Amino acid sequence: MKDGPDIAQMAALIGDPARANMLTALMSGKALTAGELAREAGISPQTASSHLKKLLEGGLLHLRGQGRHKYYGLSGEDVAQTLENLMGLAAGRGHLRTRTGPNDAEMREARVCYNHLAGSKGVQLFTSMQTRGFLDVSTDSVILTAPGSEFCSAFGIDLDTLSKNRAPLCRPCLDWSERQTHLAGKLGRAMLARMEDIGWVSRKPDSRIIRFSRAGIQAFDKQFGV
């Protein structure tokens, strides 16, 4: 094999159906126990333990202990973005694991992508901010402009606190259902958290689905109309 990153190893880790189910379950941003992940994957706890060991060794998961319990989560936003891209590729080629169901429309409208807003509402937010000159996407990166900083501060985002973290402020993330960009990075996470704090949205239990309140959808469309 030629020198360079071993994409075959990463593909093999993600490509196993049980491990893929586990990783997808963690796209909600919520840490889960080995037992919970075993149920998500439809496998025994013993088999799940073997899969989780491989994912940890491969650097796709991190493990946290709290009391007697151990919780697994994705090791970073780059892993979540890779999974989101793979979902888009699979969906675009017609590789769907289940038929369209009642939750599908909700998932496509608004869902959490690890820690930020995805779906048509996530794309709407990104498009609105770009159109209004709040985001500069003239290069491969996404940059928050001066007017964008003013807008975010007025929206209740503490940019000073965000700047203390060395992680990227803005990152583009390709939405698997919309095939367009939504906002990831520290700002994407902060925007979703702010919408939760002011009661615009809530998370459907045990799901990635984000639900807008009636007042929340009106306020969101007014703030991020395109």
Side-chain angles (χ1 to χ4, degrees):
M1 181 177 179
K2 294 184 177 180
D3 294 336
D6 189 354
I7 61 173
Q9 181 182 13
M10 286 291 102
L13 283 172
I14 298 172
D16 179 89
R19 292 196 289 269
N21 283 337
M22 290 178 171
L23 292 168
T24 301
L26 293 171
M27 284 287 285
S28 67
K30 180 181 178 181
L32 299 174
T33 65
E36 289 169 330
L37 288 168
R39 289 191 290 273
E40 289 285 345
I43 55 179
S44 69
Q46 293 78 11
T47 302
S49 178
S50 175
H51 284 304
L52 290 169
K53 181 180 179 181
K54 291 179 180 179
L55 290 171
L56 284 169
E57 292 174 348
L60 297 181
L61 297 183
H62 64 71
L63 179 62
R64 294 178 180 174
Q66 184 173 333
R68 296 179 299 169
H69 301 287
K70 294 181 179 180
Y71 294 90
Y72 295 85
L74 298 182
S75 60
E77 193 166 331
D78 55 342
V79 177
Q81 187 169 3
T82 297
L83 295 172
E84 183 82 358
N85 290 339
L86 286 173
M87 290 177 191
L89 181 63
R93 299 298 187 275
H95 301 298
L96 303 174
R97 293 180 297 176
T98 59
R99 295 182 179 180
T100 299
N103 288 336
D104 187 71
E106 287 188 290
M107 279 283 286
R108 290 175 178 273
E109 180 181 37
R111 64 182 180 276
V112 62
C113 177
Y114 187 50
N115 56 20
H116 54 269
L117 181 65
S120 62
K121 290 301 180 188
V123 170
Q124 179 180 336
L125 182 148
F126 184 90
T127 303
S128 174
M129 293 186 68
Q130 178 186 0
T131 302
R132 295 156 70 185
F134 298 158
L135 296 175
D136 182 356
V137 294
S138 58
T139 63
D140 290 337
S141 59
V142 177
I143 300 172
L144 183 67
T145 64
S149 296
E150 294 178 4
F151 169 80
C152 289
S153 295
F155 189 60
I157 304 297
D158 187 349
L159 294 174
D160 290 335
T161 298
L162 292 184
S163 65
K164 296 177 182 178
N165 189 313
R166 297 178 61 184
L169 179 63
C170 302
R171 288 182 59 179
C173 188
L174 182 63
D175 195 279
W176 72 258
S177 56
E178 295 297 306
R179 319 291 171 81
Q180 298 182 67
T181 302
H182 62 242
L183 181 64
K186 294 183 295 184
L187 184 58
R189 178 172 63 249
M191 295 291 278
L192 176 57
R194 177 60 177 159
M195 285 187 274
E196 290 181 286
D197 289 342
I198 59 181
W200 286 10
V201 302
S202 60
R203 303 192 187 200
K204 181 180 178 181
D206 301 319
S207 172
R208 293 175 61 195
I209 292 172
I210 296 288
R211 286 176 168 167
F212 280 80
S213 66
R214 181 175 298 179
I217 193 67
Q218 293 175 346
F220 180 88
D221 287 340
K222 181 178 180 180
Q223 191 74 268
F224 300 103
V226 292

